[in-house]
Amino acid sequence: MTAHTTEKQKKFWEKMAEKYPLPFTDKNLAKTKKIIGMAEQRGVRIEGSAILDVGCGTGVYSLPLAERAARVVGLDLSEEMARRFEEQRRAHKIENASVIQTPWNDAAVSEHGLTKAFDIVWAAMTPAVRSPEDVARLNRCARNWCVYIGWGGLRQNPFLEDVYQAHGQVFGPPPGAAKVQQLLAETGITAEMDLIRSHWEWEGSEEEAVAHAEGFLEMQTEAAPQTELIREIAVRFSKDGVVRHRTEAEKGLLVWPVN
């Protein structure tokens, strides 16, 4: 990953952190526990384990996992995500979790002594895992298991679809579980995929909706955001000055043992 790409991702996730899901709301926690349970059915043992969560965000997986694991270390590029992680950790009095604010790269693995330091390496809905090197790094840090949750074949959101279409782009799922499954296969690792349907809602002012959409375009396309055009779309989706939109998604779960 180039320095320019890293900075672009960091800028996007700093924006996203403001309204990113939190780990212990009833709805989010139920989704998290379902996916953790599916990983356990594949043989992953949470109790007593040391876990690294790559692209941990606000701690959506890290902090519920920490309630059962021996210790959890979250890693995230975004300073604001790391701050909110710590805020949630303290609010829920979780003492066996910590967060490292750093890109997912070889330098971070070396600097923080992450090689073979964890029973489980976990990575969920993160663009930090896209390349063969990213996947190899997961394996290098894990002693027993890797768990990856990424995009499946579905991502629908009427507001963002209109924004993308207005910029000559198609709003679909980014590279995700199928790509990682392919990268694993190329190294001789077979990982079956479990598919999970999911959804989430976003709510904010018209100006926040414009900034939100601009962030997606800047991060995921080469199109230059046209602010006034996006504002017109936001107004169409606005009720009493508030824009609400919902993403329908499919996630793919991959679990594989590490030798």
Side-chain angles (χ1 to χ4, degrees):
M1 187 185 298
T2 66
H4 174 71
T5 301
T6 300
E7 189 55 38
K8 192 175 177 181
Q9 285 196 0
K10 187 175 187 299
K11 180 182 176 182
F12 174 77
W13 289 109
E14 298 293 3
K15 284 184 181 179
M16 288 289 287
E18 297 171 7
K19 292 183 179 292
Y20 203 75
L22 297 175
F24 293 108
T25 63
D26 290 345
K27 188 182 295 185
N28 292 333
L29 186 57
K31 292 177 183 178
T32 298
K33 285 183 174 180
K34 177 182 177 180
I35 292 178
I36 291 173
M38 292 172 70
E40 289 179 293
Q41 289 173 7
R42 291 282 183 185
V44 176
R45 179 180 173 82
I46 305 299
E47 270 71 22
S49 293
I51 302 175
L52 174 67
D53 183 7
V54 177
C56 63
T58 58
V60 169
Y61 286 95
S62 302
L63 298 179
L65 284 166
E67 293 187 323
R68 298 172 55 194
R71 69 183 181 98
V72 177
V73 176
L75 182 151
D76 204 278
L77 174 67
S78 162
E79 184 177 349
E80 183 63 13
M81 288 288 194
R83 186 192 69 77
R84 298 196 78 195
F85 178 110
E86 273 296 297
E87 186 177 77
Q88 289 292 301
R89 184 192 66 77
R90 289 193 298 269
H92 293 272
K93 297 179 172 59
I94 297 171
E95 301 297 331
N96 63 331
S98 60
V99 63
I100 303 169
Q101 191 246 314
T102 183
W104 175 235
N105 56 30
D106 289 339
V109 170
S110 175
E111 178 184 350
H112 297 283
L114 305 181
T115 300
K116 293 300 176 190
F118 301 92
D119 302 298
I120 304 162
V121 175
W122 196 282
M125 303 303 288
T126 172
V129 181
R130 292 278 174 85
S131 70
E133 293 77 19
D134 297 331
V135 174
R137 208 174 290 118
L138 297 179
N139 289 329
R140 197 160 80 241
C141 293
R143 293 191 289 254
N144 299 322
W145 293 95
C146 286
V147 178
Y148 174 85
I149 302 106
W151 288 99
L154 174 72
R155 181 173 72 157
Q156 296 175 339
N157 178 305
F159 170 68
L160 291 173
E161 286 167 17
D162 282 7
V163 170
Y164 272 52
Q165 185 176 21
H167 289 79
Q169 306 294 315
V170 177
F171 182 79
K179 175 65 174 178
V180 171
Q181 188 180 44
Q182 176 191 338
L183 293 174
L184 289 168
E186 290 170 0
T187 64
I189 298 173
T190 300
E192 294 185 27
M193 190 188 307
D194 294 309
L195 294 174
I196 310 115
R197 285 294 297 265
S198 186
H199 69 270
W200 49 88
E201 290 86 19
W202 186 94
E203 178 181 306
S205 68
E206 291 174 10
E207 287 304 310
E208 286 175 326
V210 171
H212 183 68
E214 287 178 335
F216 271 93
L217 284 169
E218 290 168 351
M219 174 67 178
Q220 297 179 349
T221 78
E222 297 300 319
Q226 300 179 50
T227 301
E228 289 306 316
L229 188 57
I230 299 171
R231 185 170 287 114
E232 290 174 10
I233 297 169
V235 169
R236 284 199 282 108
F237 279 82
S238 175
K239 183 176 181 180
D240 300 325
V242 177
V243 177
R244 297 177 179 88
H245 55 80
R246 171 179 169 128
T247 300
E248 295 285 345
E250 181 181 69
K251 299 178 182 179
L253 168 69
L254 300 171
V255 177
W256 65 95
V258 178
N259 297 323

